[in-house]
Amino acid sequence: MTAARIEAPAAAPEVATWQHRHVLDLDDFTRAEIETVLDLADRMREVLDRRIARVPALRGYTVMNLFYEASTRTRASFELAGKVLGADVISLSATQASVQKGESLIDTARTLRAIGADVIVMRHAASGAPYLAARHTDAAIVNAGDGAHAHPTQALLDLYTMRRHFDSLEGKRVVLVGDIAHSRVARSDLWGLAAMGAEVVVCGPPTLLPRGLRAADRPPHAAAALPAVEVETDIDHAIAGAHVVIALRLQSERQQGGLLPSLHEYAALYQVTAARLARAHPDHLLMHPGPKNEGIEIAGDVATGAHSIIEEQVTNGVAVRMALLYLLAGQGTRPAPPTLARTDAEAAR
Ligand code: NCD
């Protein structure tokens, strides 16, 4: 009988370009920093593909999920990401709506830190809530969605998923279709895609498009609330030649009344359908951050069709969130985490 082969420990990932104490949005991320996350996510995918997908890299660290809004994918994938890396993971839901009171949010973040949280992953209905928490605790804060403002970890997993199919996003036509104005995913995607050099197009009815997205519509020297992109109200025009189409849910919970004549009319004009995708690049990818409403923003057949990589986005979300937890764990008051070795004994060598 031959001795079981012990594989060499995975080397410590190269994270020299990473500077962030928190992940609040991608507006302050350089392309090199985004690439650091995506490269590390590749390493995390390897860990996830192991027969026993567990490494002790974050043993002794504590990740707390604090979700003031509903979530399926984001919360479950952060929980799994922490557990695969060996961290203790505690998840709390705060469903009551009255937590708009800044004090209670600050107190909660401080309390979680006092209990031992190294990283707090936070989703909140108020734009800016994670920024407030970051100012008042020395735990690392990850924004898992704040109001209509930002959802940086979704954007990073979107970029990662695109990069797995196209080596580079430089010059790739990426079209976001739907409720851009109320979508935190769209906002963070725009920053990330702009940093990666993609040709970004947003498409939707005028009532669901934020103002000032076209470079020509901006006052000179104004600070940009979002990167300048191509704006289309005609979906066929927008999709023509697209390498990636991202369909977005109507964020009805954040809309004021009167923005759309009817759901039926919206679907007739803006639903992503097979007939419309026929104008895209032959190798196009179809994405959606979920949860999707088939028959409204996306047709059921294309959502599960050959070009759809919607499920792959969800899988990649675990790897990207592992990469972020790993990077953040080394930035606080705690020492940098060790390698991605399979066991503590390997890591100590
Ligand atoms: C998104 C969100 O919560 O912002 N979902 C997600 O995290 N995958 C998008 C949405 O709610 O439509």
Side-chain angles (χ1 to χ4, degrees):
M1 208 173 87
T2 53
R5 196 168 71 88
I6 298 172
E7 292 175 44
E14 177 54 65
V15 295
T17 49
W18 178 266
Q19 302 287 336
H20 295 270
R21 282 277 289 115
H22 309 282
V23 177
L24 300 172
D25 196 4
L26 296 190
D27 55 352
D28 59 350
F29 271 61
T30 63
R31 185 165 177 163
E33 288 168 338
I34 291 174
E35 275 166 356
T36 296
V37 179
L38 307 192
D39 292 346
L40 186 52
D42 270 334
R43 305 279 306 276
M44 298 304 180
R45 282 267 324 202
E46 285 166 26
V47 172
L48 288 170
D49 289 341
R50 293 179 189 174
R51 193 175 60 82
I52 298 175
R54 284 290 182 281
V55 291
L58 294 191
R59 185 169 289 171
Y61 292 86
T62 302
V63 176
M64 295 206 190
N65 287 326
L66 178 61
F67 277 62
Y68 291 93
E69 266 194 347
S71 173
T72 306
R73 292 144 263 269
T74 307
R75 178 170 160 169
S77 61
F78 266 113
E79 275 188 36
L80 188 60
K83 285 177 179 168
V84 171
L85 290 173
D88 290 311
V89 182
I90 295 174
S91 289
L92 302 152
S93 320
T95 40
Q96 68 272 43
S98 62
V99 282
Q100 312 271 357
K101 303 168 192 165
E103 277 301 324
S104 70
L105 180 73
I106 294 167
D107 280 350
T108 307
R110 282 195 171 146
T111 303
L112 297 184
R113 175 66 179 144
I115 292 169
D118 296 294
V119 181
I120 300 174
V121 179
M122 178 184 293
R123 170 170 287 193
H124 199 285
S127 297
Y131 291 75
L132 186 67
R135 278 204 301 278
H136 289 89
T137 165
D138 60 358
I141 303 290
V142 180
N143 182 1
D146 64 325
H149 174 245
H151 195 349
T153 70
Q154 178 71 42
L156 287 165
L157 80 86
D158 288 348
L159 296 174
Y160 179 66
T161 306
M162 288 178 227
R163 199 185 74 164
R164 281 176 63 89
H165 290 266
F166 302 117
D167 282 344
S168 163
L169 297 184
E170 186 75 53
K172 293 287 181 305
R173 185 172 173 88
V174 180
V175 185
L176 292 99
V177 183
D179 184 0
I180 312 295
H182 302 94
S183 171
R184 54 196 179 199
V185 175
R187 268 168 232 280
S188 291
D189 273 352
L190 293 195
W191 285 116
L193 288 164
M196 302 305 279
E199 177 192 327
V200 189
V201 184
V202 298
C203 174
T207 49
L208 297 182
L209 294 173
R211 279 189 213 145
L213 278 178
R214 286 188 188 92
D217 293 347
R218 294 183 171 185
H221 314 303
L226 282 171
V229 295
E230 184 181 328
V231 180
E232 298 286 350
T233 50
D234 178 330
I235 188 170
D236 293 321
H237 204 232
I239 286 183
H243 297 91
V244 181
V245 176
I246 303 178
L248 297 169
R249 184 176 68 86
L250 288 172
Q251 310 272 306
S252 325
E253 69 276 24
R254 286 188 246 288
Q255 290 174 8
Q256 322 255 299
L259 293 177
L260 292 172
S262 71
L263 277 184
H264 180 76
E265 188 161 334
Y266 175 80
L269 287 172
Y270 290 103
Q271 186 180 111
V272 177
T273 61
R276 288 179 168 141
L277 287 172
R279 298 170 67 94
H281 188 279
D283 297 326
H284 70 269
L285 305 172
L286 175 62
M287 300 174 66
H288 192 304
K292 54 186 157 43
N293 289 310
E294 291 182 14
I296 300 180
E297 77 272 13
I298 190 166
D301 58 343
V302 297
T304 51
H307 293 271
S308 169
I309 53 166
I310 295 172
E311 271 186 28
E312 190 191 325
Q313 286 175 268
V314 181
T315 307
N316 290 339
V318 181
V320 167
R321 288 167 176 136
M322 285 168 70
L324 290 170
L325 292 178
Y326 184 95
L327 289 164
L328 287 170
Q331 292 298 306
T333 48
R334 306 286 298 274
T339 69
L340 299 177
R342 287 158 201 265
T343 64
D344 284 334
E346 284 179 338
R349 274 197 272 150

